[in-house]
Amino acid sequence: MTKHRIADMTAAEFAARTQEPTVILVPLGSQEVQGPHCPMGDYQLAERLAVMAAQDAGPCALVAPGLPFGYADFFRDVAGGMQLRPETFKAVLRDMLDSLLDHDLNRLLIFNGHTTNASLISQVVRDIRRDRGIMVPSLDIWKTIPDSLLETLFGDTTVRGHGGEPISSIALHLYPEQCRMDLRTQKTPRKTALGFPVRGVSDVTFEGIALNLPLNAKDVDENGLLSGSAALASSQHGEKLAQHIVGITARLIRSLLNADPKNPFMSEASHLDPLSY
């Protein structure tokens, strides 16, 4: 049986597999509140989906051990979460990527399952491009799901958001034993901060515009339901959502095999044998 998780491979197996062009997925996630009904370790979803995508793509794809902690400072007020400071997250991610790049394993794909990591990931990969001349792409996996699919499955796109979809249904599909849908609840009434209605963990509303404020999860909702809805969550919906993420990621992996991270702007013609035209 073909192995895809690097953690399951011996050093000899890994060396043999990487003799040919290989894309290595680096899953990122978080340990944070996902409402009262879903497991806090959402990093498990990123790791599982990464392996499923690698299996779909074939032996050309491997999955590195995931980073279970992310930048999630606004969830610090909910017990059980574990957050990294921005500087810590960037240092750990850079060390993870450098450990692969040091061995000329440069077809990397950051598989990001925690949206708030995105700005810090951007800083890290820009530093890598400047220092090493290598371009490392990053995929925000929840953003791969189009509104049209949510509309098809749920009849509504407002289900999207923290504490709602797609995580609620995908968790039900991949880790049903960890879910507690009997604890599912409605959002609590929004509070005011400085006298202004709270919009989310980053802002309030003043005269119809957003005023940025450093808010926390419980400032928005006592149960960490920041947006979206899990009212229609189901394993069947989760299967469809997971299939979409896996399919698009597998196609991306196969495309990245034909790209050169050191020469990202090489034209298609330059890949051809000069004697063939």
Side-chain angles (χ1 to χ4, degrees):
M1 186 173 182
T2 301
K3 295 180 181 179
H4 289 276
R5 286 169 25 102
I6 295 175
D8 296 335
M9 306 174 75
T10 69
E13 289 175 323
F14 180 76
R17 284 282 289 280
T18 53
Q19 290 299 306
E20 299 295 331
T22 306
V23 174
I24 300 178
L25 279 70
V26 181
L28 305 178
S30 186
Q31 170 72 20
E32 64 186 30
V33 60
Q34 292 289 346
H37 57 285
C38 278
M40 299 182 74
D42 68 48
Y43 66 88
Q44 299 174 96
L45 302 180
E47 289 184 336
R48 182 82 169 269
L49 290 167
V51 172
M52 292 166 65
Q55 291 170 337
D56 194 340
C60 61
L62 297 175
V63 180
L67 179 60
F69 312 120
Y71 173 60
D73 193 69
F74 40 82
F75 290 121
R76 193 174 294 276
D77 59 346
V78 181
M82 303 179 74
Q83 306 83 21
L84 297 182
R85 290 170 294 172
E87 58 271 25
T88 305
F89 176 85
K90 291 194 295 182
V92 172
L93 179 59
R94 178 64 191 260
D95 284 351
M96 292 171 67
L97 299 176
D98 278 342
S99 295
L100 298 167
L101 295 171
D102 284 346
H103 295 274
D104 203 29
L105 298 168
N106 54 32
R107 283 185 172 85
L108 306 179
L109 174 59
I110 297 174
F111 195 68
N112 180 36
H114 180 59
T115 305
T116 316
N117 290 337
S119 63
L120 301 180
I121 294 170
S122 178
Q123 294 176 42
V124 171
V125 297
R126 286 184 177 278
D127 286 345
I128 288 174
R129 183 182 180 189
R130 183 176 59 249
D131 298 343
R132 289 178 172 265
I134 294 172
M135 195 170 285
V136 178
S138 174
L139 183 68
D140 290 324
I141 61 179
W142 309 128
K143 291 184 177 181
T144 68
I145 297 172
D147 283 347
S148 58
L149 180 55
L150 295 178
E151 185 73 34
T152 298
L153 295 177
F154 300 98
D156 189 0
T157 61
T158 62
V159 295
R160 186 196 297 270
H162 191 89
E165 302 297 347
I167 283 182
S168 292
S169 286
I170 292 179
L172 271 172
H173 172 55
L174 297 180
Y175 294 102
E177 72 284 356
Q178 296 184 14
C179 295
R180 288 288 308 275
M181 302 312 287
D182 58 305
L183 299 178
R184 184 169 38 183
T185 186
Q186 299 293 321
K187 299 185 186 70
T188 55
R190 289 294 169 98
K191 303 176 182 179
T192 61
L194 301 181
F196 310 123
V198 169
R199 289 163 51 104
V201 293
S202 300
D203 51 23
V204 294
T205 300
F206 173 70
E207 293 187 0
I209 65 171
L211 174 66
N212 298 326
L213 281 181
L215 300 168
N216 293 324
K218 285 192 174 183
D219 297 331
V220 180
D221 185 279
E222 288 297 324
N223 298 304
L225 301 174
L226 305 187
S227 56
S229 171
L232 301 177
S234 72
S235 176
Q236 292 76 19
H237 292 335
E239 181 178 12
K240 297 294 186 183
L241 294 166
Q243 285 174 348
H244 174 83
I245 294 171
V246 168
I248 199 169
T249 303
R251 295 193 297 275
L252 175 58
I253 291 168
R254 289 189 285 266
S255 294
L256 290 174
L257 284 173
N258 297 317
D260 184 352
K262 293 183 178 180
N263 297 286
F265 301 104
M266 184 181 296
S267 67
E268 288 188 16
S270 62
H271 287 284
L272 299 175
D273 182 340
L275 299 179
S276 65
Y277 62 97

